[in-house]
Amino acid sequence: MLHFYSGKKQGEKSVLSQESSTGETRKTLPRMVSHSELRKLFCSADAVCFDVDSTVIREEGIDELAKFCGVEAAVSEMTRRAMGGAVPFKAALTERLALIQPSREQVQRLIAEHPPHLTPGIRELVSRLQERNVQVFLISGGFRSIVEHVASKLNIPSTNVFANRLKFYFNGEYAGFDEMQPTAESGGKGKVIKLLKEKFQFQKIVMIGDGITDMEACPPADVFIGFGGNVIRQQVKDNAEWYITDFVELLGELEE
């Protein structure tokens, strides 16, 4: 498997390492990836996968749920550490949900009373991609009930949603989350993209997102586009070969 080394800024060389069957790591020859090549890959993609929190929507869903349940401060700090790659994703998710303890009713009320806000330009971008017969997927470490609500606003079928499932007892109290979902662990987004390639024979998949977990999904994604329109993660900004702060830029690429 190819692993991203210290990524370079747009138009610079990418250095990749390859792990052999013996566990040794050897460097492959650096390959120049120009911005024009990245643009061509984006415009000819079979599928585009979006992260959701702080990318497709302006908020971090788990932070909004924590705010709704009265434990915002502690959970926001955990989210910041998790998105920066400081804590394994599943451990951070377990820890945060143990603090929030959301009931089914609280999740439903959050969606009804404080629905997530779409990031400017995302509706138009998704619509344009769909007009070009590009498959659009939402791959999120957030919660399926919230992500499906977002998907419905963008005319993305629920079958194209990959996210974590909350579990509840019969009385509606929090009972944990489905740890078997690939999105529940570090590297999960890459596993989903690998699955999509195997299932649909996609040749070119683009991953777009704001966080480390999104950047780590390339490879197996063929292109990663870092998004900083809602929040800038410095490590992503420094290492993404293509970094944008407005979806208008991608819409412009499709119109050319």
Side-chain angles (χ1 to χ4, degrees):
M1 176 181 287
L2 293 175
H3 301 278
F4 222 88
Y5 249 55
S6 56
K8 303 293 182 181
K9 293 195 170 97
Q10 311 180 160
E12 295 181 2
K13 291 180 180 178
S14 293
V15 182
L16 301 171
S17 70
Q18 190 168 26
E19 193 173 285
S20 68
S21 57
T22 61
E24 295 177 347
T25 301
R26 64 181 185 275
K27 289 182 182 177
T28 61
L29 289 173
R31 185 172 71 87
M32 184 70 78
V33 181
S34 69
H35 191 46
S36 62
E37 284 180 298
L38 291 172
R39 289 165 60 187
K40 285 176 186 174
L41 280 167
F42 171 66
C43 292
S44 61
D46 305 302
V48 176
C49 301
F50 290 91
D51 171 49
V52 177
D53 295 333
S54 295
T55 300
V56 168
I57 62 174
R58 308 205 69 157
E59 306 89 351
E60 284 288 329
I62 195 165
D63 289 349
E64 294 303 302
L65 186 57
K67 186 191 299 183
F68 194 76
C69 296
V71 289
E72 178 186 9
V75 171
S76 292
E77 173 58 19
M78 289 181 192
T79 299
R80 188 190 64 77
R81 284 165 46 222
M83 289 307 296
V87 184
F89 185 81
K90 185 181 282 188
L93 185 60
T94 303
E95 194 178 355
R96 288 177 290 176
L97 283 171
L99 264 178
I100 302 170
Q101 294 280 316
S103 67
R104 180 188 283 115
E105 182 192 3
Q106 284 173 318
V107 174
Q108 291 170 345
R109 281 180 53 209
L110 172 68
I111 295 170
E113 297 173 20
H114 303 280
H117 299 89
L118 292 176
T119 299
I122 188 62
R123 194 190 299 272
E124 294 81 2
L125 178 56
V126 169
S127 177
R128 188 74 187 94
L129 288 167
Q130 291 170 333
E131 286 171 7
R132 293 166 64 98
N133 295 316
V134 177
Q135 286 289 317
V136 178
F137 296 87
L138 300 182
I139 307 179
S140 174
F143 308 124
R144 189 172 184 92
S145 52
I146 297 174
V147 177
E148 284 188 342
H149 173 82
V150 173
S152 70
K153 300 296 182 188
L154 297 170
N155 296 314
I156 296 171
S158 59
T159 49
N160 285 23
V161 169
F162 294 85
N164 290 315
R165 294 178 185 272
L166 293 172
K167 297 194 293 189
F168 304 97
Y169 292 112
F170 288 115
N171 63 1
E173 290 181 359
Y174 174 67
F177 63 95
D178 183 358
E179 297 190 24
M180 299 306 291
Q181 295 294 319
T183 49
E185 56 186 293
S186 298
K189 292 178 181 178
K191 289 179 182 176
V192 171
I193 289 173
K194 185 172 182 290
L195 173 75
L196 293 176
K197 282 194 166 187
E198 291 170 353
K199 184 176 180 179
F200 297 107
Q201 304 300 308
F202 292 137
Q203 297 300 308
K204 298 173 189 171
I205 294 185
V206 175
M207 179 72 203
I208 301 173
D210 67 289
I212 297 291
T213 58
D214 307 312
M215 187 165 67
E216 288 174 344
C218 179
D222 301 280
V223 175
F224 169 67
I225 302 173
F227 182 73
N230 293 312
V231 61
I232 291 177
R233 318 274 182 200
Q234 197 60 44
Q235 193 174 345
V236 176
K237 183 179 182 182
D238 290 346
N239 290 282
E241 290 187 280
W242 190 355
Y243 194 82
I244 64 170
T245 55
D246 195 320
F247 286 128
V248 168
E249 182 176 337
L250 296 184
L251 267 170
E253 298 292 350
L254 296 175
E255 300 302 330
E256 286 181 9

